[in-house]
Amino acid sequence: MYNLKLSALNLVPIREGEDDQTAIKDMVKLAQNLETLDYKRYWIAEHHNAPNLVSSATALLIQHTLEHTSKIRVGSGGIMLPNHAPLVVAEQFGTMETIFPERVDLGLGRAPGTDMMTASALRRDQHNGVYEFPEEVEQLAKYFGPGNQQAYVRAYPAVDKHVPLYILGSSTDSAHLAARKGLPYVFAGHFAPQQMKDAIEIYKDLFEPSDALSKPYVIVCLNAIVANTDEQAKYLSTTQAQVMVSITRGRMQPLQPPTDDLKGILTPTEFEVAQQRMGSSLIGSEETVKNKIKTFIDEHGHIDELMAISYIYEQEAQLDSYRKLKNVIDTL
């Protein structure tokens, strides 16, 4: 009835007591396990100047993951175009597509994924991605298309590779762009659920078929923590709450173990915000999460794919959560 595909997003966080090398090893191990569970795709984010994340060199991490898996699609969630020349992105992803054919995805975002000082250091020409993003998406599409002999600059070996492009967004602006370009749309419901319903509706209503896509394709990214019981899932989710508060405090601390005293760690305001965010997440037992997904689809309309991100401190508990989530999707 629902026919949902399932995939995962990873920001490559460092767990408390571990280092960046271990975080990358954990990234690969998770990809390998999700591949055995038949997850559709595994995306890696791009963040800069974040001491608790190892996802700054996203293309390198994607290639590393591709090298250690055999069939799961691997891509970017996303490459933040304000930080990169489209030609270089096309060359990198065209090269990966050449080595690993039909396994590479290119998700594209319009935000820098960092603070403005770091964004300036990344693109020293003061490039403004907000206004040039649509044009740069169009450039990328051309680089991956047939070689145009009239064009002086061509992105070898990306020519004619047709790496699929996805528009990422957390507002209605991105929905308009994805619809106009006829590209798949990925909404960041895991950190910005406020405009999600409107954005999905706009994308579907305004979608224009293209060579890439004949009808709308919606992927929604949500926080997901599935355990044996609702109580256990809520306990594990205290790690997620600490991550969110760490960001708002500007501390960017490593992934913390779960706690029985979340109220004691957070201020009353922080605790209230954390509770609201947990309410928009898929947290609970398999039965609870199944009902939450059904409710979500009733409220937001049909989606084609769920992309889960799970901030769970213990790696085995994280894998078990992804396993249980797959069970949920398979039995919807």
Side-chain angles (χ1 to χ4, degrees), residues 122-142:
L122 286 162
R123 286 289 289 267
R124 303 178 75 87
D125 59 357
Q126 302 297 309
H127 168 77
N128 190 329
V130 172
Y131 298 107
E132 296 189 22
F133 183 65
E135 289 75 18
E136 295 196 337
V137 171
E138 187 64 27
Q139 284 180 4
L140 272 170
K142 289 180 179 178

Side-chain angles (χ1 to χ4, degrees), residues 188-244:
H190 60 299
F191 74 84
Q194 296 83 358
Q195 297 186 45
M196 179 160 48
K197 182 177 176 62
D198 288 343
I200 293 173
E201 288 179 355
I202 288 170
Y203 171 67
K204 290 180 178 179
D205 289 344
L206 300 182
F207 180 84
E208 300 176 14
S210 67
D211 291 341
L213 208 58
S214 61
K215 62 181 180 178
Y217 192 92
V218 178
I219 303 176
V220 172
C221 188
L222 296 174
N223 296 294
I225 298 174
V226 193
N228 290 329
T229 65
D230 290 350
E231 291 72 23
Q232 184 183 4
K234 289 176 183 177
Y235 172 70
L236 293 175
S237 74
T238 59
T239 293
Q240 172 185 305
Q242 292 177 81
V243 168
M244 295 170 183

